[in-house]
Amino acid sequence: QVQLVESGGGLVQPGGSLSLSCAASRLALRHLAIGWFRQAPGKESEEVSCINGNIDTTHYGDSVKGRFTISRDNAKDTVYLQMNSLTPEDTANYYCVIHNGDSCAGPTIYRGQGTQVTVSS
């Protein structure tokens, strides 16, 4: 069974940075689009970033553009999300998903449990 395990969350002060990791088991990620979603209490989930399979084109939501960077290490089947200039509005549970295919426009088929990010002074 495919597993996605996120790590790297925690408590950080406003303006700080965190780097999240999403490691996959039993599945090679290089040909698949991988996204990062977040969900805050009382709010809907939003995909904040996604990286296409094969060509590694990246996409960002308006709320994180210029502050977050998604990347992948295919040798490790791991996708990263570098988050800079964090604000309290970034507080949420962050989880990664696998899209069905190499396009970020495709439906999601797997997701991890997530890692909590809390931005607070």
Side-chain angles (χ1 to χ4, degrees):
Q1 184 175 353
V2 174
Q3 279 191 313
L4 295 175
V5 179
E6 301 91 341
S7 61
L11 174 64
V12 63
Q13 291 187 341
S17 299
L18 282 174
S19 180
L20 306 183
S21 299
C22 168
S25 61
R26 302 184 179 87
L27 185 68
L29 298 184
R30 67 174 64 239
H31 302 301
L32 298 169
I34 310 299
W36 280 97
F37 277 72
R38 68 185 181 186
Q39 185 167 25
K43 294 185 178 181
E44 293 187 0
S45 294
E46 64 169 325
E47 188 167 31
V48 297
S49 186
C50 186
I51 183 167
N52 285 87
N54 297 317
I55 59 175
D56 288 353
T57 304
T58 57
H59 307 272
Y60 300 94
D62 288 341
S63 61
V64 306
K65 202 170 294 183
R67 300 187 299 122
F68 290 12
T69 303
I70 191 171
S71 61
R72 66 163 79 213
D73 184 336
N74 290 328
K76 297 181 178 179
D77 289 321
T78 300
V79 174
Y80 305 96
L81 185 68
Q82 176 65 39
M83 307 187 297
N84 298 328
S85 302
L86 287 162
T87 73
E89 288 68 38
D90 295 314
T91 296
N93 183 55
Y94 286 72
Y95 59 95
C96 56
V97 301
I98 297 176
H99 288 266
N100 187 19
D102 61 3
S103 171
C104 290
T108 60
I109 53 175
Y110 297 108
R111 62 158 287 177
Q113 292 297 311
T115 184
Q116 178 66 34
V117 171
T118 302
V119 185
S120 175
S121 55

PDB file of all heavy atoms in Angstrom, residues 62-77:
ATOM      1  N   ASP A  62      -1.994  31.960  -4.781  1.00  0.00           N
ATOM      2  CA  ASP A  62      -1.687  33.378  -4.640  1.00  0.00           C
ATOM      3  C   ASP A  62      -1.243  33.730  -3.232  1.00  0.00           C
ATOM      4  O   ASP A  62      -0.424  34.633  -3.036  1.00  0.00           O
ATOM      5  CB  ASP A  62      -2.915  34.210  -5.016  1.00  0.00           C
ATOM      6  CG  ASP A  62      -3.195  34.191  -6.508  1.00  0.00           C
ATOM      7  OD1 ASP A  62      -2.273  33.850  -7.289  1.00  0.00           O
ATOM      8  OD2 ASP A  62      -4.328  34.497  -6.899  1.00  0.00           O
ATOM      9  N   SER A  63      -1.772  33.016  -2.266  1.00  0.00           N
ATOM     10  CA  SER A  63      -1.468  33.350  -0.867  1.00  0.00           C
ATOM     11  C   SER A  63      -0.038  32.995  -0.470  1.00  0.00           C
ATOM     12  O   SER A  63       0.460  33.490   0.546  1.00  0.00           O
ATOM     13  CB  SER A  63      -2.456  32.642   0.065  1.00  0.00           C
ATOM     14  OG  SER A  63      -2.352  31.238  -0.074  1.00  0.00           O
ATOM     15  N   VAL A  64       0.630  32.155  -1.246  1.00  0.00           N
ATOM     16  CA  VAL A  64       1.981  31.726  -0.871  1.00  0.00           C
ATOM     17  C   VAL A  64       3.020  32.061  -1.930  1.00  0.00           C
ATOM     18  O   VAL A  64       4.221  31.849  -1.702  1.00  0.00           O
ATOM     19  CB  VAL A  64       2.021  30.213  -0.578  1.00  0.00           C
ATOM     20  CG1 VAL A  64       0.977  29.846   0.463  1.00  0.00           C
ATOM     21  CG2 VAL A  64       1.861  29.382  -1.834  1.00  0.00           C
ATOM     22  N   LYS A  65       2.585  32.577  -3.056  1.00  0.00           N
ATOM     23  CA  LYS A  65       3.502  32.860  -4.154  1.00  0.00           C
ATOM     24  C   LYS A  65       4.588  33.821  -3.693  1.00  0.00           C
ATOM     25  O   LYS A  65       4.314  34.834  -3.053  1.00  0.00           O
ATOM     26  CB  LYS A  65       2.721  33.443  -5.319  1.00  0.00           C
ATOM     27  CG  LYS A  65       3.377  33.308  -6.672  1.00  0.00           C
ATOM     28  CD  LYS A  65       2.418  33.700  -7.787  1.00  0.00           C
ATOM     29  CE  LYS A  65       1.264  32.737  -7.892  1.00  0.00           C
ATOM     30  NZ  LYS A  65       0.351  33.057  -9.018  1.00  0.00           N
ATOM     31  N   GLY A  66       5.822  33.477  -4.013  1.00  0.00           N
ATOM     32  CA  GLY A  66       6.945  34.314  -3.625  1.00  0.00           C
ATOM     33  C   GLY A  66       7.511  33.986  -2.264  1.00  0.00           C
ATOM     34  O   GLY A  66       8.589  34.474  -1.895  1.00  0.00           O
ATOM     35  N   ARG A  67       6.783  33.187  -1.485  1.00  0.00           N
ATOM     36  CA  ARG A  67       7.244  32.818  -0.150  1.00  0.00           C
ATOM     37  C   ARG A  67       7.529  31.323  -0.025  1.00  0.00           C
ATOM     38  O   ARG A  67       8.404  30.926   0.740  1.00  0.00           O
ATOM     39  CB  ARG A  67       6.187  33.213   0.886  1.00  0.00           C
ATOM     40  CG  ARG A  67       5.868  34.678   0.929  1.00  0.00           C
ATOM     41  CD  ARG A  67       4.951  35.013   2.088  1.00  0.00           C
ATOM     42  NE  ARG A  67       3.660  34.333   2.014  1.00  0.00           N
ATOM     43  CZ  ARG A  67       3.182  33.519   2.948  1.00  0.00           C
ATOM     44  NH1 ARG A  67       3.889  33.261   4.042  1.00  0.00           N
ATOM     45  NH2 ARG A  67       1.988  32.944   2.802  1.00  0.00           N
ATOM     46  N   PHE A  68       6.803  30.505  -0.737  1.00  0.00           N
ATOM     47  CA  PHE A  68       6.967  29.049  -0.666  1.00  0.00           C
ATOM     48  C   PHE A  68       7.640  28.548  -1.926  1.00  0.00           C
ATOM     49  O   PHE A  68       7.424  29.078  -3.026  1.00  0.00           O
ATOM     50  CB  PHE A  68       5.609  28.353  -0.524  1.00  0.00           C
ATOM     51  CG  PHE A  68       4.915  28.545   0.798  1.00  0.00           C
ATOM     52  CD1 PHE A  68       5.348  29.489   1.728  1.00  0.00           C
ATOM     53  CD2 PHE A  68       3.816  27.772   1.125  1.00  0.00           C
ATOM     54  CE1 PHE A  68       4.703  29.657   2.944  1.00  0.00           C
ATOM     55  CE2 PHE A  68       3.149  27.925   2.323  1.00  0.00           C
ATOM     56  CZ  PHE A  68       3.598  28.876   3.234  1.00  0.00           C
ATOM     57  N   THR A  69       8.427  27.485  -1.787  1.00  0.00           N
ATOM     58  CA  THR A  69       9.074  26.858  -2.921  1.00  0.00           C
ATOM     59  C   THR A  69       8.924  25.343  -2.814  1.00  0.00           C
ATOM     60  O   THR A  69       9.290  24.750  -1.784  1.00  0.00           O
ATOM     61  CB  THR A  69      10.575  27.206  -2.982  1.00  0.00           C
ATOM     62  OG1 THR A  69      10.732  28.627  -3.034  1.00  0.00           O
ATOM     63  CG2 THR A  69      11.217  26.589  -4.213  1.00  0.00           C
ATOM     64  N   ILE A  70       8.410  24.743  -3.863  1.00  0.00           N
ATOM     65  CA  ILE A  70       8.266  23.291  -3.900  1.00  0.00           C
ATOM     66  C   ILE A  70       9.382  22.706  -4.745  1.00  0.00           C
ATOM     67  O   ILE A  70       9.797  23.295  -5.739  1.00  0.00           O
ATOM     68  CB  ILE A  70       6.877  22.885  -4.450  1.00  0.00           C
ATOM     69  CG1 ILE A  70       6.612  21.395  -4.236  1.00  0.00           C
ATOM     70  CG2 ILE A  70       6.724  23.276  -5.917  1.00  0.00           C
ATOM     71  CD1 ILE A  70       5.168  20.980  -4.555  1.00  0.00           C
ATOM     72  N   SER A  71       9.872  21.550  -4.324  1.00  0.00           N
ATOM     73  CA  SER A  71      10.925  20.876  -5.079  1.00  0.00           C
ATOM     74  C   SER A  71      10.816  19.381  -4.810  1.00  0.00           C
ATOM     75  O   SER A  71      10.075  18.942  -3.941  1.00  0.00           O
ATOM     76  CB  SER A  71      12.307  21.394  -4.675  1.00  0.00           C
ATOM     77  OG  SER A  71      12.552  21.144  -3.295  1.00  0.00           O
ATOM     78  N   ARG A  72      11.561  18.620  -5.576  1.00  0.00           N
ATOM     79  CA  ARG A  72      11.512  17.180  -5.372  1.00  0.00           C
ATOM     80  C   ARG A  72      12.892  16.578  -5.528  1.00  0.00           C
ATOM     81  O   ARG A  72      13.752  17.108  -6.224  1.00  0.00           O
ATOM     82  CB  ARG A  72      10.550  16.513  -6.345  1.00  0.00           C
ATOM     83  CG  ARG A  72      10.968  16.587  -7.808  1.00  0.00           C
ATOM     84  CD  ARG A  72      10.199  15.561  -8.629  1.00  0.00           C
ATOM     85  NE  ARG A  72       8.855  15.988  -8.952  1.00  0.00           N
ATOM     86  CZ  ARG A  72       7.827  15.167  -9.067  1.00  0.00           C
ATOM     87  NH1 ARG A  72       7.972  13.891  -8.862  1.00  0.00           N
ATOM     88  NH2 ARG A  72       6.638  15.618  -9.379  1.00  0.00           N
ATOM     89  N   ASP A  73      13.111  15.434  -4.872  1.00  0.00           N
ATOM     90  CA  ASP A  73      14.311  14.620  -5.030  1.00  0.00           C
ATOM     91  C   ASP A  73      13.824  13.251  -5.463  1.00  0.00           C
ATOM     92  O   ASP A  73      13.370  12.449  -4.640  1.00  0.00           O
ATOM     93  CB  ASP A  73      15.084  14.552  -3.712  1.00  0.00           C
ATOM     94  CG  ASP A  73      16.393  13.791  -3.830  1.00  0.00           C
ATOM     95  OD1 ASP A  73      16.510  12.948  -4.759  1.00  0.00           O
ATOM     96  OD2 ASP A  73      17.289  14.011  -3.017  1.00  0.00           O
ATOM     97  N   ASN A  74      13.896  12.991  -6.754  1.00  0.00           N
ATOM     98  CA  ASN A  74      13.346  11.740  -7.272  1.00  0.00           C
ATOM     99  C   ASN A  74      14.099  10.517  -6.756  1.00  0.00           C
ATOM    100  O   ASN A  74      13.514   9.448  -6.601  1.00  0.00           O
ATOM    101  CB  ASN A  74      13.354  11.753  -8.800  1.00  0.00           C
ATOM    102  CG  ASN A  74      12.346  12.735  -9.355  1.00  0.00           C
ATOM    103  OD1 ASN A  74      11.300  12.969  -8.766  1.00  0.00           O
ATOM    104  ND2 ASN A  74      12.657  13.321 -10.501  1.00  0.00           N
ATOM    105  N   ALA A  75      15.381  10.674  -6.491  1.00  0.00           N
ATOM    106  CA  ALA A  75      16.157   9.541  -5.979  1.00  0.00           C
ATOM    107  C   ALA A  75      15.646   9.100  -4.609  1.00  0.00           C
ATOM    108  O   ALA A  75      15.772   7.930  -4.238  1.00  0.00           O
ATOM    109  CB  ALA A  75      17.628   9.902  -5.899  1.00  0.00           C
ATOM    110  N   LYS A  76      15.080  10.041  -3.877  1.00  0.00           N
ATOM    111  CA  LYS A  76      14.568   9.741  -2.531  1.00  0.00           C
ATOM    112  C   LYS A  76      13.048   9.630  -2.511  1.00  0.00           C
ATOM    113  O   LYS A  76      12.462   9.416  -1.445  1.00  0.00           O
ATOM    114  CB  LYS A  76      15.017  10.819  -1.546  1.00  0.00           C
ATOM    115  CG  LYS A  76      16.517  10.915  -1.360  1.00  0.00           C
ATOM    116  CD  LYS A  76      16.876  11.993  -0.343  1.00  0.00           C
ATOM    117  CE  LYS A  76      18.384  12.053  -0.137  1.00  0.00           C
ATOM    118  NZ  LYS A  76      18.753  13.127   0.833  1.00  0.00           N
ATOM    119  N   ASP A  77      12.406   9.815  -3.667  1.00  0.00           N
ATOM    120  CA  ASP A  77      10.942   9.824  -3.711  1.00  0.00           C
ATOM    121  C   ASP A  77      10.373  10.751  -2.632  1.00  0.00           C
ATOM    122  O   ASP A  77       9.457  10.397  -1.879  1.00  0.00           O
ATOM    123  CB  ASP A  77      10.378   8.402  -3.555  1.00  0.00           C
ATOM    124  CG  ASP A  77      10.635   7.548  -4.785  1.00  0.00           C
ATOM    125  OD1 ASP A  77      10.535   8.088  -5.906  1.00  0.00           O
ATOM    126  OD2 ASP A  77      10.947   6.355  -4.622  1.00  0.00           O
TER     127      ASP A  77
END
